Amino acid sequence: MWGCSGAIDILSKEGSKPPLLVLILECDDQLSIDVNSSNSSSNTISAPVNLEYERLLSTGNHNFEVIIPKDEWDPISLNYTSGTTSSPKGVIYTQRGAYLNSLAGVLLNEIHSMAVYLWCVPMFHCNSWCLPWGIAAQGGTNVYLRNVTAKGIFDSIAQHKVTHMGGAPTILNMIINASATERKPLPSKVSIMTGAAPSILSLLFKMEEMGFNVTHSYGLTVTYGLGTVCTWKPEWDSLPRDAQAKLKSRQGVQHLGIEELDVKDPVTLKSVPADAKIIGEVMFRRNTVMNGYLKNVKATQEAFDGGWFRIGDLGVKHPDAVLEAAVVARPDDHWGETPCAFVNVKSDANVSGDEIISFCRSRLPHYMAPRTVIFQDLPKTSTGKVQKFVLREKAKSMESLTKKNISKL
C-alpha cells in the first residue's frame, strides 16, 4: 500500500471511490523502493510519498551512464493485462520488441519530426503503445492531461498546436459531445488513433467533421499495444461516406514491426479463406509479441500453443485482407462448451436470435456457429475492450442447453 498512497490521497481529495485493488501474486516480497533515498541501491521504503512529475525529474542523475542491454531479447519492462479474460498476468516486453514497436508506431501514426502529441491514455497501459520512445526519436513534444476532460483536450490542442493524439472510443465520444463552451476551433488537422471496439460510423463522421483524422487500430497488451492498423487506400477516397466509414472502422492489417498476423482455424491452424464469411481465431507471432507471462509457464504455453499467440478473439478476413473482431463463449454439460453470442444491435434493428444463428450456420461449420444469442450492451473497460470475464460469468450462470442423462437405477 505504500506505493498507492499518493493515488489514494488524490482520490480522497476529489471524493472519488477508490478502485478495487488486485493482488499481484508474482511480486517478490523483498523488493521495494525508497524514493527518498539518495542511495540508488536501497531497496526499502522509508515513508509514503506523493511524487509529482516535476519532483521525479529533479531526482534524476545527470551523470547517469546508459546501460546497453547484452541481448536484444533482454526484458525492458513488465506490463500487466487488464484482466478482461482472467486474472491479470505480467507481460514481459523485450528490448527488440519495444524498439520495433516504437518505430512502427511512428510510421502507422504518421508522426513527423517535431510533432506535438496529446496524451489522453495512461502511460502505464502497454507502455503507452511504445509511443513515448517513438515521439522522442522524432524530437516531438508530449502534452499531458492530469485530468482528461473535453475542455482540457480542446484547450491543449489550441494552446500547444497538437498534431497527434490517441484514445479509446470513450475519448472520441467525449470530444463529439463537448458543449459549445468547451469546444475550440482546431488550429490544423489533428490525427487521432483509436482502438479496441470497432468505432460507430456516426462517431467517425462527427470526428471527421470537427477536423480530426481518425485511424482505427487493434491490439492488446501482449502485442505491445498496437498490433494492426486500418491502412487507408487512395482509391477509397472516391467512395461514398458510408462506405468510407465502414472501411475505416475495420481493425486493419498488421504493421511493419510484427512478423505475422493471421486468422486461423483454432484446431487445424489452417488459415481461413479471405471471403469475409469463414470465422477463425485471430493469431499473432514473433517480433512485437511478448516473450511470455511472468512466472506463469502454463499460461505462456497455452497462449502459444501451435507456435502462434492465440488472442481468443474471433475474426474474418476480407478479400482486401482486413479483419474484424468478435467474441463468443459458454459451458455445456454434454459438449463441454458451445458458442454463445452476446450481441448489441442498433436500436432500430429488427433481428431475432434464431435469425443470427441461422445466418451463422449457413456460413460456418455448425460447431462454430452460436447456439445461444443474448442481446445486451457489451461491458467494456475504460479503453474500450470487451470485458470477457463478465460475459463468461453470465454464461456460466445459465443452465446448460444439453442436459446430462441421469440413470434412474
Side-chain angles (χ1 to χ4, degrees):
M1 289 295 292
W2 290 110
C4 302
S5 60
I8 291 177
D9 182 51
I10 293 173
L11 288 170
S12 62
K13 288 179 180 178
E14 294 182 351
S16 302
K17 183 178 179 181
L20 293 175
L21 298 179
V22 178
L23 178 64
I24 305 300
L25 300 177
E26 298 87 1
C27 181
D28 292 323
D29 294 337
Q30 72 275 15
L31 179 62
S32 53
I33 299 172
D34 181 6
V35 295
N36 283 333
S37 175
S38 59
N39 181 3
S40 60
S41 63
S42 173
N43 65 347
T44 59
I45 295 176
S46 59
V49 173
N50 294 327
L51 196 62
E52 292 187 342
Y53 180 69
E54 290 79 9
R55 185 179 169 192
L56 175 64
L57 290 182
S58 69
T59 65
N61 180 3
H62 292 286
N63 298 318
F64 177 79
E65 294 185 6
V66 176
I67 302 173
I68 304 298
K70 296 179 180 179
D71 191 290
E72 63 177 6
W73 293 105
D74 284 350
I76 190 173
S77 67
L78 179 67
N79 292 263
Y80 272 81
T81 63
S82 56
T84 56
T85 56
S86 60
S87 299
K89 293 184 284 291
V91 174
I92 301 173
Y93 284 5
T94 65
Q95 303 277 344
R96 173 186 175 84
Y99 174 77
L100 290 173
N101 210 65
S102 299
L103 299 183
V106 167
L107 292 173
L108 57 89
N109 281 274
E110 297 185 354
I111 297 177
H112 51 74
S113 61
M114 310 302 288
V116 180
Y117 196 96
L118 175 63
W119 289 95
C120 299
V121 295
M123 297 195 75
F124 65 79
H125 182 64
C126 307
N127 275 127
S128 294
W129 307 343
C130 296
L131 282 178
W133 292 309
I135 293 168
Q138 290 294 79
T141 299
N142 294 285
V143 179
Y144 301 94
L145 293 175
R146 290 189 183 275
N147 185 28
V148 180
T149 63
K151 184 179 185 303
I153 291 172
F154 281 102
D155 286 349
S156 296
I157 292 174
Q159 179 181 353
H160 301 287
K161 295 181 173 55
V162 170
T163 60
H164 296 77
M165 59 184 293
T170 52
I171 299 295
L172 274 59
N173 270 312
M174 182 187 295
I175 292 172
I176 66 173
N177 290 311
S179 65
T181 57
E182 293 173 325
R183 295 188 183 189
K184 287 186 178 181
L186 304 187
S188 60
K189 181 76 75 173
V190 177
S191 296
I192 179 169
M193 180 159 285
T194 188
S199 300
I200 302 171
L201 302 188
S202 60
L203 182 64
L204 295 177
F205 284 148
K206 292 177 181 178
M207 288 294 293
E208 298 282 351
E209 289 171 356
M210 294 175 68
F212 294 90
N213 179 36
V214 183
T215 299
H216 202 251
S217 63
Y218 172 79
L220 57 167
T221 307
V222 299
T223 59
Y224 295 67
L226 305 178
T228 72
V229 60
C230 183
T231 302
W232 193 255
K233 297 182 179 182
E235 56 266 32
W236 292 348
D237 290 334
S238 60
L239 296 175
R241 286 187 69 200
D242 285 353
Q244 288 188 21
K246 287 180 180 179
L247 289 168
K248 186 166 287 232
S249 67
R250 293 177 178 179
Q251 281 91 345
V253 295
Q254 71 188 71
H255 64 63
L256 186 64
I258 202 159
E259 185 164 335
E260 290 184 87
L261 160 70
D262 204 355
V263 180
K264 292 178 172 292
D265 182 299
V267 177
T268 65
L269 289 183
K270 290 183 178 179
S271 300
V272 302
D275 58 4
K277 296 179 181 178
I278 304 299
I279 296 178
E281 185 175 0
V282 182
M283 302 184 188
F284 293 89
R285 70 174 172 185
R286 301 197 180 103
N287 282 348
T288 54
V289 177
M290 68 163 185
N291 259 19
Y293 293 120
L294 178 66
K295 299 182 181 180
N296 198 333
V297 176
K298 182 176 182 292
T300 300
Q301 291 174 339
E302 290 175 351
F304 285 100
D305 183 28
W308 290 77
F309 180 80
R310 297 166 177 255
I311 290 180
D313 286 344
L314 300 183
V316 298
K317 289 200 295 188
H318 289 266
D320 51 2
V322 188
L323 61 89
E324 294 173 333
V327 182
V328 297
R330 181 180 178 174
D332 186 87
D333 288 344
H334 177 71
W335 299 105
E337 187 176 86
T338 58
C340 174
F342 292 87
V343 181
N344 184 16
V345 298
K346 294 181 179 179
S347 57
D348 58 348
N350 184 19
V351 62
S352 68
D354 288 340
E355 288 174 321
I356 291 177
I357 292 173
S358 177
F359 178 85
C360 293
R361 285 189 172 183
S362 67
R363 292 164 172 79
L364 299 171
H366 280 203
Y367 75 91
M368 294 185 70
R371 297 188 64 188
T372 312
V373 175
I374 300 172
F375 295 99
Q376 67 166 66
D377 290 333
L378 301 183
K380 297 177 182 177
T381 66
S382 59
T383 57
K385 285 186 176 181
V386 175
Q387 293 179 312
K388 299 176 187 175
F389 70 93
V390 175
L391 301 180
R392 190 168 289 132
E393 287 301 316
K394 183 166 185 175
K396 285 181 179 179
S397 67
M398 297 185 291
E399 292 185 359
S400 170
L401 287 175
T402 308
K403 299 296 183 182
K404 286 184 177 179
N405 292 325
I406 301 176
S407 174
K408 296 181 180 179
L409 296 179

